[in-house]
Amino acid sequence: MSKSYYVTTPIYYVNDKPHIGHAYTTLACDALARFKRLDGFDVMFLTGTDEHGQKVEAAAQNAGITPQAFTDTVSQNFRDLTKSMNFSNDQFIRTTEPRHYAASQKIWNRLLERGHITLGAYEGWYSVRDEAFYTETELVDGKAPTGAPVEWVAEPSYFFNLSQWQDKLLDFYDANPAFVAPETRFNEIKSFVKGGLKDLSISRTTFAWGVPVPEDADHVMYVWLDALTNYLTAIGWSEDGEGDFSTRWPADLHMVGKDILRFHAVYWPAFLMAADLPLPKRVFAHGWWTNEGQKISKSLGNVIDPLSLVEEFGLDQTRYFLMREVPFGRDGDFSKSAMIQRVNSDLANDLGNLSQRTLSLIVKNLDGAVPAIASKLPEADKVMLDAVDGLLDRVRKLFEEQAFHEALRIIWEQISNANKYIDSQAPWALKKTNPERMAEVLGLLAECIRQFAILLQPFMPEATAKLLDQLNVSSSDRGFDKIAGLARLTSGTVIEKPSGVFPRYFEDTAR
Ligand code: ME8
C-alpha cells in the first residue's frame, strides 16, 4: 500500500474575498500535493473556510444578511478560486458543516473529561480582526502587535489550562527539531513559550455565531479551537469508525502564514496533547506578500486579485512566478516588472524556446521520429544527462524542506545548460554535415525536455501536460517512476509540429 501524506492549508475567514495571499498558501500546498502524488504517495490535501467568530458575524451584519447566508456566498468565492487556480485539493471543508460541529464538540468534551477546562471569567483585550486575546503588555500604542484595534472584554468564559503545558511543549520542541520551519520562526515560538503561558479563554458569551459549548447554551466555542479542529473533522474523526483518521493522522504538514504560527505551533499541540491525540509532524510558516513595496490592505486599495493576474499573465505563468520569485519562508514583494521578467525570460525564452526549437527540428529534419539515446554518449552529453537524471533526488529533498523556489532554481540550471548545449551543438547545422550526430543531439534534448516537463508538473500542470502531449508521452508514463534514468523517451515515437506553450508577454501600452 502506498504511503499516506496529509497536507493542510489554513481555513480562510469568510469576512472578505480571497486575495493573492490566500492563493499563495494554497498554491504551495497544491504543488506539494501534486509532487507527492507523482512520487507515489496516497495524498490527502485539505483546504476550506473558517466561518465562525465575531469578525464574520460583524461582516454579515454589515452586509445586512444572516451569517449563514453570508458565509454561503463568500465561502463559494474560495471554492471557485480552487477551480480557477487549478488546485487539486481532495476536500474543501466548511466549519458550518454538521460533521464539524460534532468534531468540535468532541474535542471540547475530551478536554473537559480530562480536567483541562474550567469555568471562570475573562477580563482583557480582544482583537476581533485577529480573533485573538492580548495582554496589556503586548499592546503597542493601544493596539494589538499586528496593528489591529482591540476592545475590552469582560464576560464569563471557559478556560483551557494552557499554563500547564509549557514544559511539555518545550520538551516536544526539543525532541522534534523539524516541527516548525523556518528555524528563525521556531526560535520565536520557543521564546514565546519560555516566557510563560497563561490559561486561554476558549468560549465567548457576547455573540452567538459559533459552535455551541456542549451543555452550556450561553457560550459558543472560541473560534480558534473550533477552526483548528477542522484538520481532524476532514478525516472523519467525528464519524462512526473514525473515517480515515487512523491512517491519516497525524498530519504531515500544516502550511500557514507567519501571522498564525502561534495558533498552530503552541495552542494546537497543547490542545492535542491534552486530548491525548498525536501531534502533527510539521508546521511551515511562510512569509508575507507586499505589493510594489507596500503592505497589502483593503484600506490602501492595493489588494491583488489572483484572478486578474491569471487573466493578464496566464495561469501557469502566475503559479510559476509565485513559487519562483520569493524564497519560500521569506517575505516577498509583488512587482509587475519582476512578473514580466519571469514570464518572458524563464518561461518563453528558456523553457519555451528550448522545447519549441528541439521539437520543430525533430519534425522538420527527422519526419517527427524521436531518435533513441545512443548507448554510448560522448562525455559532455553524458555529463548533461547525468545531471538531469540526478534532479529528482535533489528536488525531492528540497520539497521535504518546502524549498520550492530552490527546486525551481536547480531545474532551471539544467534548462540553461540544455540551452547552452543546443547553441553549441547547433543541430540545425548538422543536418548536412553529420546527420547522425544531429539525431543524437536532438534525442538527448528531447529526453531532457521530457524530464523537465515531468518534474515541473506540480508547478505548471497545464503547460507541462501540453509539452508531454507534444512529446507523445502517455498519461500513465508521467509519474516520477519514469524519470531519473528509470525510463527513457521511447525512440521512434512520432511527434507532430509543436505549437508554442509559453507565449511572450507584450506590454499593452493602451492598458
Ligand atoms: O487566519 N501574504 O484566516 P485568514 C501571504 N481563519 N499570505 C497571506 C497574506 C499575505 N499578504 N494574507 C493572507 C485565518 N495570507 C484563520 C486560519 S486555520 C485553522 C484558521 C494567507 O483568512 C496566509 O496563509 O486571515 C495566512 O496565514 C492566511 O492567509 C490567513 O487567512
Side-chain angles (χ1 to χ4, degrees), residues 265-320:
V266 181
Y267 301 166
W268 182 227
F271 293 152
L272 289 167
M273 281 197 249
D276 286 325
L277 292 169
L279 272 47
K281 292 185 197 150
R282 184 168 165 94
V283 182
F284 191 100
H286 67 64
W288 216 238
W289 279 92
T290 50
N291 185 359
E292 310 275 353
Q294 275 195 317
K295 186 175 175 231
I296 297 178
S297 88
K298 235 179 20 177
S299 50
L300 289 173
N302 65 351
V303 174
I304 302 171
D305 174 1
L307 298 186
S308 64
L309 292 183
V310 169
E311 212 171 279
E312 185 168 2
F313 298 99
L315 173 57
D316 280 349
Q317 284 83 349
T318 303
R319 290 176 56 114
Y320 172 78

Side-chain angles (χ1 to χ4, degrees), residues 1 71 129 134 175 265 268 323 326 429 443 472 476:
M1 226 181 60
T71 56
R129 194 168 96 191
Y134 291 107
W268 182 227
M323 290 290 95
V326 175
N472 236 335
S476 56

Side-chain angles (χ1 to χ4, degrees), residues 379-393:
E379 192 50 29
D381 292 19
K382 201 174 158 325
V383 169
M384 183 165 101
L385 185 61
D386 284 350
V388 173
D389 283 346
L391 274 176
L392 175 61
D393 273 349

